[in-house]
Amino acid sequence: SSSAASDVYKRQVLAFSGVIKIINSKMALIKFIIIKIEDIPLSKNVVHFIYKMKKERNKNPVQPISGTKVPRFAGPSTFARLPELRDVESCDVAIVGIPFDAGTSYRPGARFGPMSIRQASRHLRTNYHPSYDVEPFKVQQVADAGDITCNPFSIDESIKQIEAGATDLLNKVGGIISLGGDHTIAVPLLRAINKKCNGPVALVHFDAHLDTWDTYFGAPYTHGTPFRRAREEGLFLDDASMHVGIRGPLYSRDDIKNDEEFGFKIIHCD
């Protein structure tokens, strides 16, 4: 029926848009993907439609200011001196700061992460990457969306603010990259992306620590518990998620066992 075909089309748009966003400059690879999935109804039309739409929408992305035009110690204080989100017509990827660290149990400071990362990014030469032979900011529009406001005195309120801010942003752009914030922020960010994708997502977690403990000092939401809460809410796929870089001692020999029950695969680095 036309209704069923429409539903298939919408699901494929969601599935393929992320792929095309990453590789839309590699036409040969796109053609390869089309060949491999051509047995799926409407797949060719969907891939062609998404690529054409993105190409037409962002023919000439607004790029970062070049260090050969304006000295890197000057110019805007955005990430990599990119344009602000409000200054572009449409956006494929938005950089957003999340200055929150009330969930830390030892050393705070991640609240200053977004500001510090943006300042350090002035050193980047953003125009061309020779190893990948790509001009990353020419093939997609990237912009800085500023920071999501977080209440430094309330973890619960901050979680709600982050979820609302990320959800609103994901309704306007293709995807987001967040800066700063302790690992508590993973929960509201996963909630937001679940809304965009209409369900759980595959999760790749790069860290030295598991972050699947149940509680720190009786607090359910901390930098060491986000993926336990996310598992309880079903926010990630338990057959397609992993930790990468786990190292060092643990609180208990049961920590790994408990983590495996959540479906995580683990790549250790020690």
Side-chain angles (χ1 to χ4, degrees), residues 132-211:
Y132 296 102
D133 188 27
V134 66
E135 296 172 282
F137 298 110
K138 275 190 175 182
V139 298
Q140 58 186 349
Q141 180 64 69
V142 185
D144 194 316
D147 292 345
I148 294 175
T149 300
C150 306
N151 184 339
F153 302 107
S154 173
I155 293 177
D156 291 342
E157 183 178 349
S158 289
I159 287 174
K160 293 177 182 177
Q161 290 173 316
I162 295 167
E163 180 181 353
T167 299
D168 179 63
L169 194 54
L170 284 167
N171 286 332
K172 301 175 181 176
V173 303
I176 64 175
I177 297 175
S178 63
L179 308 177
D182 72 53
H183 284 190
T184 311
I185 72 173
V187 173
L189 290 177
L190 281 169
R191 289 173 179 169
I193 196 65
N194 270 239
K195 292 177 183 177
K196 183 178 180 69
C197 296
N198 297 315
V201 295
L203 172 65
V204 181
H205 171 222
F206 292 87
D207 195 358
H209 313 112
L210 299 170
D211 289 356

Side-chain angles (χ1 to χ4, degrees), residues 98-102 104 108-116 147 152-153 180-182:
I98 306 180
F100 171 84
D101 61 13
T104 56
R111 67 182 63 185
F112 301 111
M115 176 176 60
S116 298
D147 292 345
F153 302 107
D182 72 53

Side-chain angles (χ1 to χ4, degrees), residues 12 34-35 37-38 40-49:
Q12 291 176 357
I34 291 174
I35 292 171
I37 60 176
E38 62 183 355
I40 303 175
L42 301 175
S43 61
K44 285 189 176 180
N45 291 337
V46 172
V47 173
H48 177 72
F49 168 76

Side-chain angles (χ1 to χ4, degrees), residues 227-266:
F227 302 120
R228 171 75 68 110
R229 302 287 88 83
R231 179 66 180 90
E232 292 169 351
E233 296 182 29
L235 299 179
F236 63 85
L237 297 170
D238 58 12
D239 60 349
S241 298
M242 66 171 59
H243 305 292
V244 180
I246 300 301
R247 59 177 172 79
L250 299 168
Y251 292 116
S252 165
R253 65 176 62 248
D254 292 329
D255 289 344
I256 294 291
K257 177 183 177 182
N258 293 336
D259 189 87
E260 289 175 346
E261 291 176 355
F262 300 148
F264 279 110
K265 304 296 185 294
I266 300 178

Side-chain angles (χ1 to χ4, degrees), residues 52-69:
K52 181 180 179 182
M53 179 179 66
K54 292 176 72 62
K55 187 175 181 180
E56 290 179 352
R57 186 179 66 181
N58 287 322
K59 288 183 178 179
N60 297 297
V62 181
Q63 299 179 58
I65 295 176
S66 171
T68 63
K69 304 297 182 182

